Amino acid sequence: MDTKWEITKESTKYKLNFSSYTSIYNVQDTREEEIVQIVYDYFQPRSKSDETVKIYDQTNDILIGNKDFQAYYFSNDILMEEFGLSASTIMNKKLSRLLSEDAEVGMYLNTVNSLLEDSLNRIQDKVPIRIDPIDYKKLLKMLKFDLNINYDTKMNYIEKLELILPLLIEEIKISAKSEPIIIYNHPETYLSPNEQKKFREILAQQNVKLIVLTESSYFLSKELKGLNIYRNNKQMMCYTLLEDIYWNAPLNFEEEDIKESLEKIFRLYVSKFEITPVITNYHLGDIILFEPVDIYVCISFLQFCNYDYEFDLKLDLLPEALVKYINTL
């Protein structure tokens, strides 16, 4: 399901392109954290934010209720806390459920408690003591993760994430009161570029709706319908942008080619947009483009977003109509 949401909190409105994998690129002039926080608070089982927040599905012309989804908030730091198995963690709840659902575990605990009683009876006449029976909660406090599965080397950071994330998602799918949404805050934290690429694929394999706030190109949505970037709280990836690019084109570019070009440019060069990039078509530079459609789409996008940029182009390599367009800028 790919939709466009309008999120309203009091007098503030945000547009969100919502897909199975939704990415929000973090920039300097917008409080993207506020957007994901609004979504997270709204989709809580006992949410009170629905009194001040409205989420409108513009694609299907319906209001989305706060019980239509259940949101979970993740970061790499939060995932690492799961290894501590504290009472508040999803992993603790998962283990508690597994222990309570297994009838044989209950039988084993009864046996252990009987053995403990017999052991205590041997010394009870010397010291007036008693023992509290072991139940699921006491057993959970005795459990720890064994992170030395391969005893030659200890698990590194990405291996820990790869281990814990699927376990948590599995439990969320079982226990969520409605369809879950995972909000992931900067999954690139502490990861090298190669590890980011690997973890992005792990996220995509979880078969759950994701909203990812990121400053890394590796974690962007691979489709235009899941991409989000804001300038001064205004959504830039919108129908107006595509319409302007299509109708103002100096050459007969197909609409699908424009979309593919915009997706490619965004994923490759989004980190350059805020630094007054140099666009070139013949040597190394901030933004290197060769195809006329790519050069035109990039210029149009930067102008639409009010980003500053510079040219270093060999105009003789470009179609005359595109050169005339560039000379008017």
Side-chain angles (χ1 to χ4, degrees):
M1 182 179 67
D2 309 303
T3 58
K4 297 184 181 298
W5 285 3
E6 183 180 74
I7 302 167
T8 304
K9 183 173 183 181
E10 297 171 350
S11 60
T12 304
K13 292 181 183 289
Y14 300 104
K15 306 283 188 178
L16 180 71
N17 297 321
F18 181 72
S19 186
S20 56
Y21 187 104
T22 301
S23 64
I24 302 174
Y25 190 77
N26 206 4
V27 296
Q28 293 182 354
D29 58 16
T30 297
R31 295 169 60 184
E32 290 87 353
E33 293 85 355
E34 181 175 302
I35 299 172
V36 297
Q37 189 66 49
I38 291 171
V39 174
Y40 174 74
D41 291 340
Y42 185 75
F43 291 123
Q44 294 304 299
R46 297 179 181 85
S47 174
K48 294 182 179 179
S49 65
D50 59 318
E51 299 173 4
T52 58
V53 174
K54 300 296 178 188
I55 299 181
Y56 178 66
D57 179 346
Q58 293 183 312
T59 304
N60 298 300
D61 194 24
I62 56 172
L63 280 172
I64 299 175
N66 69 318
K67 292 183 173 59
D68 290 345
F69 297 97
Q70 184 170 346
Y72 296 81
Y73 188 90
F74 283 177
S75 67
N76 289 352
D77 287 331
I78 289 173
L79 258 65
M80 288 299 106
E81 291 173 1
E82 291 285 337
F83 286 99
L85 295 179
S86 66
S88 61
T89 61
I90 296 172
M91 201 65 226
N92 183 287
K93 294 178 175 63
K94 179 183 183 70
L95 290 171
S96 180
R97 179 181 60 79
L98 291 173
L99 288 170
S100 62
E101 289 178 352
D102 193 316
E104 289 196 17
V105 172
M107 294 170 59
Y108 292 148
L109 288 177
N110 288 334
T111 300
V112 168
N113 285 324
S114 296
L115 291 171
L116 289 173
E117 281 291 339
D118 291 344
S119 300
L120 190 60
N121 287 337
R122 299 179 64 85
I123 62 170
Q124 204 166 28
D125 59 336
K126 299 177 182 178
V127 182
I129 56 174
R130 66 181 181 84
I131 189 168
D132 287 332
I134 296 177
D135 55 17
Y136 301 121
K137 292 183 179 180
K138 288 189 175 68
L139 179 59
L140 276 172
K141 292 180 180 180
M142 301 166 64
L143 301 181
K144 293 183 178 180
F145 264 98
D146 181 4
L147 300 182
N148 298 314
I149 298 172
N150 180 350
Y151 290 96
D152 295 330
T153 58
K154 290 186 176 181
M155 296 183 76
N156 59 31
Y157 199 86
I158 182 65
E159 288 173 332
K160 291 180 180 179
L161 293 176
E162 188 176 6
L163 169 66
I164 197 70
L165 180 66
L167 294 174
L168 300 183
I169 298 297
E170 179 186 50
E171 180 61 21
I172 284 170
K173 288 178 180 178
I174 293 171
S175 61
K177 300 182 185 307
S178 51
E179 184 177 2
I181 295 176
I182 306 300
I183 296 173
Y184 213 119
N185 187 1
H186 290 84
E188 66 270 22
T189 306
Y190 311 129
L191 299 180
S192 69
N194 188 50
E195 290 171 336
Q196 290 179 37
K197 185 177 180 180
K198 182 178 181 181
F199 193 45
R200 168 63 172 84
E201 295 307 313
I202 293 170
L203 283 174
Q205 294 166 6
Q206 300 311 307
N207 193 27
V208 66
K209 284 187 168 56
L210 285 155
I211 299 177
V212 176
L213 178 61
T214 184
E215 293 178 56
S216 167
S217 60
Y218 290 104
F219 290 97
L220 296 175
S221 173
K222 295 181 179 180
E223 297 180 295
L224 201 64
K225 55 195 175 186
L227 289 173
N228 295 271
I229 186 170
Y230 298 89
R231 289 280 281 166
N232 298 312
N233 295 328
K234 183 180 178 182
Q235 172 70 261
M236 295 291 103
M237 284 297 188
C238 58
Y239 177 76
T240 303
L241 166 66
L242 293 172
E243 191 176 49
D244 285 355
I245 293 177
Y246 181 74
W247 289 109
N248 295 327
L251 295 166
N252 189 26
F253 298 129
E254 296 293 331
E255 188 173 0
E256 194 59 35
D257 293 336
I258 289 173
K259 289 181 179 179
E260 289 178 6
S261 176
L262 184 57
E263 288 176 8
K264 178 179 68 176
I265 291 166
F266 192 91
R267 289 198 302 271
L268 288 176
Y269 298 118
V270 64
S271 63
K272 307 293 186 181
F273 294 161
E274 294 183 276
I275 63 169
T276 311
V278 175
I279 304 171
T280 183
N281 67 337
Y282 71 99
H283 67 84
L284 293 177
D286 299 317
I287 298 178
I288 310 168
L289 302 169
F290 302 104
E291 295 298 325
V293 64
D294 293 334
I295 294 171
Y296 166 67
V297 168
C298 183
I299 293 170
S300 298
F301 177 76
L302 293 174
Q303 285 190 319
F304 185 82
C305 297
N306 291 318
Y307 283 119
D308 294 325
Y309 61 92
E310 297 176 3
F311 289 131
D312 187 2
L313 297 167
K314 280 193 173 181
L315 298 180
D316 60 323
L317 299 177
L318 303 177
E320 183 179 350
L322 181 57
V323 172
K324 288 182 179 179
Y325 171 80
I326 290 172
N327 287 333
T328 65
L329 299 176

